[in-house]
Amino acid sequence: MGSLFVFALFAIAIACLGLFGLASFTAAQRTKEIGIRKVLGASVAGIVKLLSRDFLALVVVAAVIAFPLAWWAMSSWLQHFAYRVPLNAWVFIVAGGGALLIALITVSFQAVKAALANPVNSLQAE
């Protein structure tokens, strides 16, 4: 394994920790809302969808901003080489799908934990 691969894994792990912390903070802030939704009959899947939707939307917005910038930067950098590798759209599609999958796995863990919590404890806190 090259050092670039190892550092890329470290960067992904650190980003996942930050995303997990943000998801934990959001779930803690919305504890009362989640409790009320559960009492009114919301399913676990509905609550997970509710909590995950915001984070996945942020990942999509980041991808929409980052992909054209990365395409432009890589195209201009590769122009200086005699032998070039063409930039294919599938590379960006796979990267965006991977980012969405990593974000979904990271956020879903905390969302399922919040959705499975007893609503009585969250509503009894105040």
Side-chain angles (χ1 to χ4, degrees):
M1 270 202 252
S3 61
L4 185 64
F5 181 74
V6 172
F7 286 122
L9 286 179
F10 280 146
I12 291 171
I14 290 170
C16 285
L17 286 174
L19 189 60
F20 183 76
L22 188 60
S24 298
F25 178 71
T26 302
Q29 275 190 323
R30 297 174 80 173
T31 303
K32 188 172 284 260
E33 175 189 355
I34 293 168
I36 291 171
R37 285 181 184 268
K38 283 204 54 151
V39 167
L40 293 176
S43 65
V44 173
I47 293 173
V48 169
K49 181 179 158 186
L50 174 76
L51 292 175
S52 299
R53 187 179 341 140
D54 297 335
F55 291 103
L56 295 181
L58 289 175
V59 172
V60 169
V61 168
V64 166
I65 293 170
F67 289 167
L69 290 175
W71 185 289
W72 172 77
M74 291 302 296
S75 294
S76 63
W77 181 61
L78 288 172
Q79 293 300 319
H80 300 292
F81 293 98
Y83 299 103
R84 296 181 194 98
V85 176
L87 288 175
N88 295 321
W90 68 267
V91 174
F92 293 98
I93 293 169
V94 169
L100 278 173
L101 183 67
I102 289 171
L104 183 65
I105 290 170
T106 305
V107 172
S108 292
F109 179 75
Q110 189 62 33
V112 168
K113 183 179 168 186
L116 291 176
N118 191 357
V120 173
N121 295 336
S122 64
L123 295 174
Q124 190 179 28
E126 289 187 29

